[in-house]
Amino acid sequence: MKNTLHVCIIDEQNNGDPIALLLKNEFPEFEIDLQTDSIQHAYDYLCKNSPDLLFVDLLKADKTAVEMLSKFRDTLSSVIFMTDSETTAIQAIKKGVTDCLIKPVKNLDFVITVNKAIENVRKQRAAILNNAIHNKINLPTLQGFKRVNIDEIIRCEADSNYTFIYLSDKSKVMVSKTLYDFEKHLSEYNFFRIHHKHLINLEHLREYIKGKGGQVIMADNSILDVSIRKKHEFLHAIA
């Protein structure tokens, strides 16, 4: 596992300086990628980056701020929320925050909490590595099943209760499972459902064509519609 851990600090009152100093003294393996007093700046950054650890210290933990933390709970390994209110701390944890520190923060509490976060990061990285090693899927066929690497799947297309799987070797497999079944399994592997009929592997996306919803051109030269309601979420996913 790499030694450097990446950190984002949002601190409306002190611009993250106290947290940065504690990290420098106690955890030199951390690299601070963003240190800001602006919620909007942090939001823009987090839309495109996934640091290992996010520290949040807000003057007012309003609904918008807590929802922002909730939005990124699936992309961030750990979120540490710093507050002077136990009620706010409980609310934040319910929204997906990993841990909370009640201000004024004691050095020992800070070290214990960050060590827990580091352990959480290690577990997540181990899980990712395990997924990469076992990055295969069984596609049931009439004769048995075809075992393929997930990254060989270009796209999946719904046909009633069946799904056609298009592979990078130009073959096509018909499976007696719904597209929803594949969406649940493949979404963690950078697949995105652009339409009620189409689930695509973003790694095999070649081009996006503007329009009401727009269209995508995939590696197999297929041209697929993007539904209007999925357009914004799709463009965000590939940004």
Side-chain angles (χ1 to χ4, degrees):
M1 184 179 109
K2 63 181 181 180
N3 293 322
T4 302
L5 299 173
H6 295 271
V7 182
C8 171
I9 302 173
I10 310 169
D11 181 354
E12 288 189 310
Q13 186 171 12
N14 299 301
N15 196 39
D17 291 336
I19 302 170
L21 182 60
L22 280 169
L23 286 173
K24 182 179 179 180
N25 292 335
E26 304 290 346
F27 299 94
E29 67 268 34
F30 278 101
E31 183 173 310
I32 300 173
D33 293 339
L34 179 70
Q35 186 176 330
T36 182
D37 60 3
S38 167
I39 291 287
Q40 186 60 51
H41 187 192
Y43 181 90
D44 293 341
Y45 174 82
L46 292 171
C47 282
K48 299 178 181 179
N49 300 276
S50 297
D52 298 303
L53 181 58
L54 173 63
F55 286 93
V56 182
D57 188 351
L58 307 178
L59 291 174
K60 182 181 179 183
D62 58 16
K63 183 178 179 181
T64 301
V66 175
E67 285 181 352
M68 183 192 76
L69 299 180
S70 176
K71 176 179 176 62
F72 292 104
R73 70 181 181 273
D74 295 329
T75 58
L76 294 167
S77 295
S78 295
V79 181
I80 296 177
F81 194 79
M82 308 176 82
T83 178
D84 53 9
S85 166
E86 290 187 7
T87 302
T88 302
I90 293 171
Q91 182 186 22
I93 288 175
K94 287 181 178 178
K95 286 291 185 178
V97 169
T98 304
D99 213 337
C100 286
L101 286 167
I102 304 298
K103 297 187 290 186
V105 177
K106 297 178 181 178
N107 280 27
L108 179 59
D109 291 339
F110 182 85
V111 170
I112 291 172
T113 299
V114 173
N115 275 324
K116 284 170 60 180
I118 292 174
E119 184 60 28
N120 185 55
V121 170
R122 287 174 175 159
K123 287 179 180 178
Q124 292 221 7
R125 288 183 177 175
I128 291 171
L129 179 60
N130 184 61
N131 284 340
I133 293 172
H134 302 92
N135 199 11
K136 292 181 178 291
I137 187 172
N138 293 336
L139 303 178
T141 64
L142 292 175
Q143 296 77 29
F145 64 86
K146 185 171 184 176
R147 187 164 175 80
V148 302
N149 292 322
I150 289 176
D151 59 11
E152 293 176 9
I153 300 174
I154 295 175
R155 60 189 180 93
C156 309
E157 183 175 341
D159 186 355
S160 187
N161 290 326
Y162 293 85
T163 301
F164 286 102
I165 310 296
Y166 294 81
L167 302 172
S168 56
D169 65 0
K170 298 183 180 180
S171 64
K172 179 173 71 172
V173 182
M174 186 178 75
V175 181
S176 57
K177 286 186 177 183
T178 66
L179 189 62
Y180 176 68
D181 291 325
F182 285 100
E183 182 183 12
K184 287 191 298 182
H185 183 77
L186 296 175
S187 59
E188 65 180 289
Y189 295 97
N190 208 25
F191 280 69
F192 188 89
R193 191 163 183 173
I194 59 171
H195 188 278
H196 72 276
K197 287 193 65 174
H198 302 299
L199 176 71
I200 66 170
N201 184 345
L202 295 178
E203 297 300 324
H204 289 285
L205 173 67
R206 280 187 178 171
E207 187 177 346
Y208 171 72
I209 303 169
K210 291 181 179 179
K212 264 191 173 180
Q215 293 179 311
V216 295
I217 301 177
M218 301 301 295
D220 61 353
N221 294 319
S222 57
I223 301 175
L224 312 173
D225 291 330
V226 179
S227 70
I228 295 174
R229 70 182 186 88
K230 286 283 190 177
K231 179 179 180 179
H232 178 75
E233 187 181 352
F234 167 69
L235 292 177
H236 176 74
I238 63 174

